[in-house]
Amino acid sequence: MKTILVGSGAIAYCHARALKEVGVKVFAVYDVREEAAAKLADFCGAKVLKSMEEFSEAVHEADMVHLCTPPAFRLSYLEIAAKAGCHIITEKPMAISVEDAEKMTAIAKENHVQLMVDYNHRFRPGFRKLQEIVQSGQLGEITSIFVNRMGMLGGYAGTSNDTWRRKPGSVCGMSIESLSHDIDMIIQLGGPVQDVKADIRGTFQDVPEFDNNVHASMNLKSGAMANLYATWSSWLNGSSRGVVGTEGTAILEGDSLFDFNRLRLKTSKMEYEEVIELQDVYNFDTSSSYTNITRHFLESLEANKTSTVSGEYALSTLRVSHAILDAAATQQTVKL
């Protein structure tokens, strides 16, 4: 199989390594920054596409397209690729606006191609172990789920403005971009979200729409509660996510924003808690999660089954992100 990488930032290299691991050839790279595209193309042994016209021609040679651009700029590429019959993997979040995400899912459906969104953290060993414990039933009925993670984005909170995340036209705050992973994992552990209450704060005064501190509480349709606290402006790093049930509790802990270093487990049948050392450290160069999710996508295509991380599913998580923003703005509970 052959694919085209669109976008050549750091995340594109994660996909390039994963594609090589599973045997998919990257035969072309496109980026509006031709120098960056050339560097990635050299890494992949691929050719550089120098214009949208060249991209529009190249998709007819491809089986799929990987969209690694900032989320504000994916819709047009997806439409070209889908109409050429290419399946699509896009980085998360699939879009910034719900409207764009709805168009993307509709276009993929109309053209009978699969659209998968890269929620790769759910494919990591640490989270899979936590999910396995929950699904086994040993925690009993789930009463609450929590996520706490903290760290620094961009090296220095409040002053740095060197990323697409804070630039006009592509601004994407924590609630939409980064919390998409946490929302996905909460749903995987406890089921769909019913309603949301939230507060948000930003430390970049020149970019007020960029939220980098979020506190959200949710009721899930299962009857469980979920609490999510995250910050991109903390001078200390760390994370924990856990599940509390009527018969036990499991907590996945990490020493950084997205590291899963250990899992703690205690049930009503255990005299002492068990600590499982994981050392599932999130590293762009070595993490297996991109390979795992790419392999999942290929298996879905081969079996002619919809990916568990489909565009429709990712649209539902994006709605939760917007509910967080709406709840914070209105100071009202937002129902989904």
Side-chain angles (χ1 to χ4, degrees):
M1 297 188 78
K2 296 194 297 184
T3 191
I4 300 171
L5 287 175
V6 181
S8 53
I11 208 72
Y13 286 82
C14 299
H15 288 281
R17 293 184 189 96
L19 289 161
K20 183 178 181 180
E21 186 74 19
V22 301
V24 174
K25 178 178 176 55
V26 178
F27 86 95
V29 174
Y30 178 65
D31 194 304
V32 293
R33 303 165 302 156
E34 192 172 324
E35 184 177 342
K39 183 179 178 181
L40 178 60
D42 182 63
F43 180 81
C44 298
K47 67 179 181 179
V48 177
L49 304 175
K50 298 183 178 181
S51 66
M52 281 292 283
E53 288 76 16
E54 289 190 13
F55 171 72
S56 298
E57 293 174 4
V59 289
H60 294 283
E61 300 178 50
D63 300 292
M64 65 181 73
V65 168
H66 281 62
L67 301 181
C68 302
T69 68
F73 307 114
R74 294 179 185 148
L75 176 57
S76 59
Y77 297 114
L78 178 139
E79 185 169 17
I80 292 169
K83 287 182 176 179
C86 293
H87 301 292
I88 297 140
I89 294 180
T90 178
E91 257 303 316
K92 59 81 210 165
M94 62 189 297
I96 291 178
S97 72
V98 170
E99 292 76 16
D100 276 2
E102 289 174 336
K103 290 177 183 176
M104 292 168 76
T105 56
I107 290 168
K109 185 176 181 180
E110 288 166 7
N111 290 279
H112 308 290
V113 298
Q114 281 224 38
L115 166 60
M116 188 185 78
V117 181
D118 184 48
Y119 286 133
N120 68 89
H121 286 292
R122 75 149 87 159
F123 289 85
R124 292 173 58 191
F127 180 74
R128 282 178 161 177
K129 182 63 178 176
L130 176 60
Q131 189 177 33
E132 177 186 308
I133 289 170
V134 171
Q135 292 176 344
S136 73
Q138 60 185 299
L139 301 185
E141 181 182 350
I142 304 306
T143 57
S144 63
I145 300 169
F146 68 87
V147 175
N148 293 289
R149 60 184 180 93
M150 51 201 291
M152 187 76 75
L153 179 74
Y156 183 60
T159 62
S160 180
N161 195 31
D162 57 355
T163 171
W164 60 264
R165 294 176 177 87
R166 298 189 289 273
K167 291 180 179 177
S170 63
V171 172
C172 187
M174 174 181 273
S175 294
I176 291 177
E177 186 199 350
S178 190
L179 295 194
S180 57
H181 280 304
D182 302 295
I183 293 164
D184 170 49
M185 288 187 272
I186 286 171
I187 292 171
Q188 293 307 300
L189 295 169
V193 177
Q194 178 172 288
D195 60 56
V196 177
K197 298 183 285 292
D199 285 294
I200 62 174
R201 298 289 186 275
T203 61
F204 292 86
Q205 302 305 317
D206 58 329
V207 193
E209 62 269 49
F210 181 81
D211 57 290
N212 56 356
N213 291 271
V214 179
H215 183 190
S217 58
M218 310 170 191
N219 287 308
L220 307 183
K221 292 182 180 179
S222 64
M225 303 178 296
N227 186 73
L228 198 168
Y229 168 74
T231 175
W232 266 345
S233 63
S234 171
W235 297 94
L236 291 173
N237 288 300
S239 64
S240 64
R241 59 195 73 236
V243 181
V244 178
T246 55
E247 297 296 329
T249 299
I251 301 175
L252 187 58
E253 297 180 336
D255 299 329
S256 191
L257 271 168
F258 263 125
D259 287 352
F260 301 150
N261 298 99
R262 68 200 69 85
L263 192 147
R264 298 170 57 198
L265 173 66
K266 178 73 163 62
T267 72
S268 59
K269 297 180 179 180
M270 299 167 60
E271 185 176 0
Y272 304 104
E273 77 168 83
E274 178 183 4
V275 179
I276 303 170
E277 297 294 335
L278 298 169
Q279 298 307 319
D280 180 2
V281 175
Y282 185 57
N283 182 295
F284 273 7
D285 294 333
T286 61
S287 179
S288 64
S289 57
Y290 293 92
T291 301
N292 294 341
I293 193 171
T294 304
R295 187 171 286 118
H296 162 74
F297 188 57
L298 295 177
E299 290 170 351
S300 299
L301 293 178
E302 185 176 354
N304 197 27
K305 292 183 179 179
T306 301
S307 162
T308 61
V309 205
S310 66
E312 288 83 358
Y313 172 80
L315 173 58
S316 73
T317 66
L318 183 61
R319 293 187 194 279
V320 178
S321 291
H322 278 274
I324 289 172
L325 295 173
D326 291 345
T330 62
Q331 288 295 289
Q332 300 289 325
T333 299
V334 174
K335 296 184 181 298
L336 287 113

